[in-house]
Structure formats: structure tokens, C-alpha cells
Amino acid sequence: MKTSPKNIKGVMEDRLPKKVVQALKAAGEVAEGMNYSAYLVGGLVRDLLLGVENLDVDITVEGEGIAFAEKLAQRLSGRVKGITRFGTAIVTLRGGFKIDVATARREYYERPAALPTVQKSSIREDQFRRDFTINAMAIKLNPGEFGKLIDFFAGERDLKRGVVRALHKKSFLDDPTRIFRAVRFSERYQFKIDEGTKDLIKQATNLAMFDELTIERVRDELVLILSEENPARAIKKMAELHELKFIHPRIKLNKQLRKLLGNLEEVLSWFRSSFPKEKPSPWLIYFSALLRGLTLKEARAACQRFHLSRKDEEKVIKGKEGVSRKLRELGKEKPRPSQIYLQLESLPLESLLVVMARASRIVRERISLYLRELRRARLKVTGDDLKELGLRPGPKFAELLKKTLIAKLDGSLKTKEDELNYVKMNISRMRR
Ligand code: CTP
């Protein structure tokens, strides 16, 4: 392990916005004045070398991180926020630009997956506690050495070869979220996961422990993976590395799930091109797909274990509950538009897209009709019109409006007058 003498100041100046380079130079000068060393670390270093845009500035200092953050904020007329007992803080600049500051530290874990206990240390130790070699490079910021690439673990070589490699054997036990991060980076950059690292992941899937805090962080990682460009491929990779059992022991990448994933890709690409303004959460859709083989009760338990919001849990459940029956109804010969509407109206968009991915070609067309037209159908008569006709708001009121909408969907009411006449006819029937 040697320190690379390479200097990438030129790359920084070429690829980063001027404002960021100036802030980094200022950080180096502030550190120098305090007799500290400051380094740019983490994802930005990796992406800078890859030529990928990233503006998440993480600075680690050998010294007192918080005192440094305060001086840096003064120098750049910014503010310090979010100070933690781990020696981290955020410097926010005018215009909302943020710099994350940390104190170089060595974390040791009293038990696997526990909150780290922090000790101040050198940049080398700080980098050694990180997840992968490609994320464990630093760039020195002090004047005179500005731009010097610090690469103790051959991260640059792995970047060039396209390899995700853990830094040490205990990495995944220290932090089980890394089991998913490996897949995320490998997917994002189309990198291979090093064979030894794959073995460590598989071992960790049997040994790693999840306390409540870790579960939430695992959920956050899952959300990120399933929000990257090709979630289906990521899921296949997770399956190869035995990671799916972390989500639920009964999730298997079997024929049914493979087919669903393939169909989802088609359905989502159709949906995105047809409705570019609507943004259903892809992660929730793929998370629902993963739970396809579970019972409703198991799916609910999985959602609760990952502390999904109530709303998200409902979306998952609605993409499962009674779906076979709905698909049967929708598959019947020549359904009326209102029949299609009534089967689908209660489904949130994400659930609807999962249902669509499970549907036959003909049913998909019917769902597509719902998405393109039926769900947007609105009456011209309003609640006020009904009040003028002497009706008081209440369940009957809503029932009547719905009945009118159904008649409209099926094409028998064209104008507002048609609607009003229909309403009046029904009122007199109700009164009879
Ligand atoms: N890190 C780690 N283990 C984790 C999470 C983060 O070692 N479980 C380290 C890595 O060095 C990473 C840095 O903290 O580069 C910043 O973490 P994060 O912002 O999550 O990742 P990025 O690498 O910046 O990736 P992204 O581009 O997805 O933000």
C-alpha cells in the first residue's frame, strides 16, 4: 500500500464548477491556518475521476472538524448547521450550496451493526473504515499540495478496471447496508464485484445482524438501488449474492418473479413515454414486485419491518390484494368502460402499474384505456347543482354523483344538460 503521488488539480479545475474549486481552495487555506490537513473524500473523488457529475462535497480534516467548519463558514460567509457528537457538521453557503465536514476518525464497533464509537485519527484510518476501494480515495486541499490524490487502497486501479472491492473482511459485518451498496455501485457504473468481495457478501448474509437503526438504513439503501436505472438487473444481482433473503426469507427469484420484472420494464417504459409528467416511485413498484410471492400478511409484515410509511404500505398491499379477481373481471368479454373504471379506481398509480405488469395483453389494453381516459373523466354537474335541486350533501349525494359518472363513462351522457336530466330522473326515483 503506497500513497499515490499523482496530482489531479487540473482535473478538478476542468470538471468542477469554479465556485466549488474556490470553496475547496478556501477550505485548504483555512485548514493550513489551523495547522490541520483537509481532504476532499468519498463519492465526489470517485466521480471526479470517472468524469461523472457529482456535487456532494465531503471534506474530512485531520483536526477538530467542527472548529474547522466554523472557520470555513466565516471565511465563505456561510453558516454551520447539523453539528454532531461524531465531529461532523454542515457548512451551508449562500444559494444553498453545502459542504459536509467530518473529523478524520477510526470507528470501531463494539458489536456488529452497533452505532460506532468514535476516535479521532488520521486520514489513512478514516479511509480504511470505508466501504469500497473506489470510495476510499481522498484529495488533499492544503495549499502547496492542493489536488494531491491520496489512494492507500488502489481505488484508482479498481476504478480503471471497473471493480467494486471491499476494503477489509469485516466490512459487511461492520455495516450490513454495504451488502446492498455493492450492488448499487456495480449497477450504476457497470462494474464487476470482485470475487472475494462476493464471498464476503454471501457470508455476511448469513451472519449480519440488523437492529432497528440498521433496518432503516437498509431500507434507504434498497430505495436507492430500486431507484437506479435498471432495478430488474439489480434485483438479479441481489439474488445471486443471496441478498433477497434480507428483505424477506421467502423471496425467491423464480420464474414468476423474473416474468413480472420483465413485464414491469415494458409497462414502465410505456407509462413513462405516455405520461412523462407523472412520476410514480419506481422503488415502490419494484419493492411490491419483490413481495409478489408472499402472502398479504407476510407482505404487510415486511413493509412494517422496514418502517414504510402507512401510505406506501397501502400502495404495496393494494398491488396484491384481490388482484387475481380484478384481472379476471377485467379479462371478461367486452367490459363496459364503467366496469373497467370500478375495478381500478381505488388503486394508487404504483399499485396499478404492478397490476398492469401482471395482466394479459388484452387486460393491459383495458388498463391503458383507464389510464389514458377513464381515470380523467369528470362530471360537468357539480355538488352545487345538486344542492340547487334540493339535495343535501351526504352518502346519497355521493352515490348519485358516482352513478351519474358511470352513466357518463358508458357514453349515455354527453352534455351538462344530459347529466342534469339524469340526476333529476334519479332524484325523482329516489323520492318515489
Ligand atoms: N460510506 C461507507 N459505508 C456506508 C456508507 C458510506 O463507507 N455504508 C462512505 C463511502 O466512502 C462513501 C461516503 O461514505 O463514498 C459517502 O457516502 P454516500 O454519500 O452514501 O455515498 P457516495 O459514495 O457519495 O455515493 P452516492 O453517489 O450514491 O451519493
Side-chain angles (χ1 to χ4, degrees), residues 53-116:
E53 190 178 295
N54 181 339
L55 292 177
D56 287 343
V57 177
D58 287 304
I59 293 178
T60 291
V61 293
E62 288 170 325
E64 296 291 342
I66 292 168
F68 167 82
E70 274 158 0
K71 280 247 160 64
L72 181 61
Q74 256 172 29
R75 162 86 186 256
L76 298 174
S77 317
R79 289 163 167 220
V80 179
K81 287 190 188 161
I83 292 176
T84 72
R85 64 190 168 97
F86 302 117
T88 66
I90 303 166
V91 177
T92 54
L93 306 186
R94 248 180 268 140
F97 190 74
K98 284 192 309 189
I99 299 175
D100 278 311
V101 174
T103 305
R105 66 200 203 213
R106 172 175 62 221
E107 285 170 353
Y108 61 86
Y109 296 79
E110 281 154 1
R111 62 187 166 84
L115 255 184

Side-chain angles (χ1 to χ4, degrees), residues 230-233 235-236 253-270 286 289 356-358 364:
N230 192 333
R233 225 176 34 208
I235 290 174
K236 285 172 198 157
L253 184 60
N254 53 19
K255 228 169 119 191
Q256 183 191 53
L257 182 54
R258 277 180 203 279
K259 185 151 177 262
L260 181 59
L261 292 174
N263 291 349
L264 264 181
E265 263 174 89
E266 274 176 34
V267 163
L268 287 179
S269 84
W270 166 81
Y286 281 95
M356 193 166 182
R358 283 177 54 181
R364 270 197 214 179

Side-chain angles (χ1 to χ4, degrees), residues 402-420:
K402 180 125 184 211
K403 206 170 164 189
T404 315
L405 180 67
I406 285 171
K408 184 183 169 107
L409 286 171
D410 290 340
S412 53
L413 312 174
K414 298 277 186 262
T415 62
K416 180 165 181 181
E417 210 182 341
D418 294 343
E419 292 177 14
L420 272 174

Side-chain angles (χ1 to χ4, degrees), residues 145-210:
E145 288 182 287
F146 186 86
K148 183 172 159 191
L149 183 68
I150 314 283
D151 181 13
F152 297 107
F153 312 107
E156 197 190 8
R157 182 200 63 196
D158 284 341
L159 265 189
K160 286 199 175 122
R161 292 189 187 163
V163 180
V164 176
R165 186 194 312 275
L167 282 183
H168 57 79
K169 285 205 170 97
K170 277 180 55 224
S171 180
F172 297 104
L173 295 176
D174 284 347
D175 183 347
T177 64
R178 292 172 174 171
I179 288 170
F180 294 101
R181 287 173 66 86
V183 172
R184 181 152 70 85
F185 290 117
S186 131
E187 269 304 303
R188 184 194 295 170
Y189 303 117
Q190 290 305 300
F191 280 12
K192 286 206 178 72
I193 300 176
D194 158 69
E195 289 303 319
T197 301
K198 280 189 182 170
D199 290 340
L200 294 175
I201 292 177
K202 289 181 198 162
Q203 285 167 24
T205 60
N206 291 320
L207 295 172
M209 285 195 284
F210 280 168

